[in-house]
Amino acid sequence: MKKTLLALAVMGASSVAFAASNVSLYGVIDTSVVVSKVKHNTTKVQMKSGFDSGSRWGIKGVEELGNGYAVGFILEDGFNSDDGSGAQDMNGAFSRESKLYINGGFGQIGVGRLGSLAGGAQSNNILTGWAFGTSYEDQGSWTSFAKGNGRVNNAIAYVSPSFGGVTVHAMYSNGTSADNEKWSKNRHYYGLGLKYAGNAATASVIFEALDGKGTGGKKGISTGINSYLKTLGLDLIEGDDLKKLDAVKANFEDRKTAYSVTAGGAYNFGIVTAMGIYQYAWESDVYSQHAFGLSASAPLAGGTAKLGARYLLGKLDGDFKHIANAIGADTKYRAWNIDAGYSYPLSKRTYFYGFAGYSDGAKLYKDVENGKFNGWTVGTGLVHKF
């Protein structure tokens, strides 16, 4: 849009003038109907926002400084198109991304609220190798089935120039939520990755670490334990046992550092694009796990068809292994998942889609009431981009 139109749309009748050489308003609206069932729960029929692509709006701008340098920004917020509310899992005016950056011959340096390297979303994401990305919630999203660090506040990120198609990516957060405590009490994120982008092939390798700073404190015993177990997708302690244990308060030390290494790639054979992804994730004395994914996309009847399958296997470690043994729970967990999807373009900016997914868990995850490990989902919707 012309900068005067943007000023009228965003700033109202204000006299603010945009100095940037290029400012644009953009967005995505995604509304769908989804039928789903989680093990031991009733079937649900829901109208949902962002099932395929998170509904959002944003402003982008860049100013050329000369000599190959430029300063730019991205301000992006999410919303729910089914009821018009703000995205329930986010807070703030621009909760999806709030980034100020500078480009030059050295690459790019950006600061603000950013998507992590393997988070699957936003401008610094380099996750590769899963056809469904982070779409379709628990059933389809790679970062829901495996491990992901999502978005982090107070971050600085660097992207190198391309060397024969290879770029280096690094990110650090001084406090994933807040950094108003001394450094040793703020929770930090560290990410380092390589990405390759060629004519037919793309690939990435990403190392991430999320330390446990600031996660301790005085809590009910079961609450403290469950705060760990939720990272695995389940609560082991509930009901009367939860009430009894929560009557006792204890000081919990900060969590251990959670690590992950994720490698993925895709190759376009012309008729079909084949993809593969693998992740090893661990947290000392809590868990270690492997996640695998194979998927493909191909043109079909004027649209694009996708098919994928994933497998997860892991185990509890250290104190949590002992806790599971004490209550008679399995110390190992398994899950598999299969997904199918189709999208058809109605125009350059609008497409229709359909999706179906099924997941099944074993051992510790056998009866977990969570759709990403036990359940099925079928959905269809419409996406418009502007």
Side-chain angles (χ1 to χ4, degrees):
M1 295 178 62
K2 297 291 186 181
K3 55 189 179 184
T4 42
L5 293 178
L6 179 64
L8 290 174
V10 178
M11 304 301 293
S14 140
S15 60
V16 173
F18 288 95
S21 58
N22 180 19
V23 176
S24 60
L25 175 69
Y26 68 94
V28 176
I29 304 174
D30 175 359
T31 307
S32 61
V33 176
V34 178
V35 183
S36 62
K37 187 178 188 307
V38 175
K39 193 171 186 177
H40 304 312
N41 287 261
T42 59
T43 302
K44 293 182 179 180
V45 180
Q46 298 172 281
M47 177 176 284
K48 287 198 171 186
S49 171
F51 186 55
D52 175 274
S53 303
S55 296
R56 74 202 76 162
W57 74 279
I59 311 167
K60 293 181 180 180
V62 61
E63 180 184 14
E64 300 295 336
L65 302 178
N67 297 319
Y69 291 91
V71 170
F73 68 89
I74 302 173
L75 299 174
E76 185 176 294
D77 193 28
F79 63 90
N80 296 313
S81 61
D82 56 333
D83 61 11
S85 65
Q88 294 179 0
D89 59 342
M90 300 179 185
N91 296 309
F94 296 104
S95 52
R96 288 181 61 92
E97 186 167 20
S98 178
K99 177 179 176 180
L100 179 65
Y101 64 87
I102 182 168
N103 287 335
F106 58 86
Q108 183 190 95
I109 295 177
V111 295
R113 176 172 169 81
L114 310 175
S116 59
L117 298 187
Q122 308 313 132
S123 60
N124 285 95
N125 162 62
I126 58 171
L127 185 69
T128 307
W130 180 242
F132 299 91
T134 57
S135 299
Y136 311 121
E137 298 181 345
D138 286 343
Q139 284 290 344
S141 171
W142 172 259
T143 53
S144 175
F145 192 78
K147 295 293 181 183
N149 289 299
R151 298 169 177 86
V152 292
N153 297 337
N154 310 300
I156 180 169
Y158 170 72
V159 182
S160 76
S162 177
F163 303 99
V166 177
T167 49
V168 179
H169 301 254
M171 185 181 295
Y172 164 73
S173 167
N174 195 52
T176 56
S177 178
D179 62 353
N180 51 3
E181 300 288 345
K182 67 178 183 179
W183 189 89
S184 62
K185 291 187 177 181
N186 296 322
R187 196 169 198 195
H188 311 104
Y189 164 86
Y190 308 85
L192 181 64
L194 294 174
K195 182 179 180 180
Y196 171 75
N199 292 329
T202 58
S204 63
V205 179
I206 307 163
F207 169 80
E208 295 183 300
L210 182 66
D211 68 30
K213 305 294 185 181
T215 59
K218 196 169 186 179
K219 307 173 184 177
I221 290 179
S222 66
T223 302
I225 292 172
N226 282 342
S227 69
Y228 285 93
L229 300 181
K230 285 179 181 178
T231 67
L232 303 176
L234 75 161
D235 293 339
L236 283 179
I237 302 173
E238 56 189 0
D240 290 338
D241 290 336
L242 183 71
K243 294 177 181 178
K244 290 177 182 177
L245 289 175
D246 270 349
V248 180
K249 302 294 181 180
N251 285 315
F252 286 83
E253 295 181 359
D254 285 339
R255 290 178 53 176
K256 306 291 185 180
T257 299
Y259 299 95
S260 65
V261 178
T262 308
Y267 192 87
N268 187 345
F269 291 94
I271 298 177
V272 62
T273 299
M275 307 179 198
I277 189 168
Y278 165 75
Q279 183 192 79
Y280 177 60
W282 71 100
E283 184 175 343
S284 297
D285 295 324
V286 184
Y287 69 89
S288 61
Q289 67 175 45
H290 303 267
F292 308 83
L294 292 175
S295 58
S297 65
L300 178 66
T304 301
K306 298 178 181 180
L307 183 66
R310 292 172 290 179
Y311 184 67
L312 175 72
L313 69 158
K315 62 180 181 179
L316 302 181
D317 292 327
D319 292 340
F320 285 82
K321 182 177 181 179
H322 299 319
I323 292 170
N325 283 327
I327 62 175
D330 206 312
T331 60
K332 296 181 179 180
Y333 53 92
R334 304 282 187 270
W336 63 270
N337 161 268
I338 186 168
D339 301 313
Y342 181 74
S343 61
Y344 184 84
L346 302 177
S347 70
K348 291 183 178 179
R349 296 184 297 172
T350 304
Y351 64 88
F352 161 87
Y353 66 86
F355 171 83
Y358 177 82
S359 295
D360 185 58
K363 295 185 178 292
L364 184 61
Y365 282 179
K366 182 178 180 180
D367 291 310
V368 171
E369 297 180 8
N370 191 312
K372 60 187 173 183
F373 302 128
N374 287 295
W376 57 264
T377 300
V378 176
T380 183
L382 194 66
V383 173
H384 175 73
K385 298 181 178 182
F386 61 88

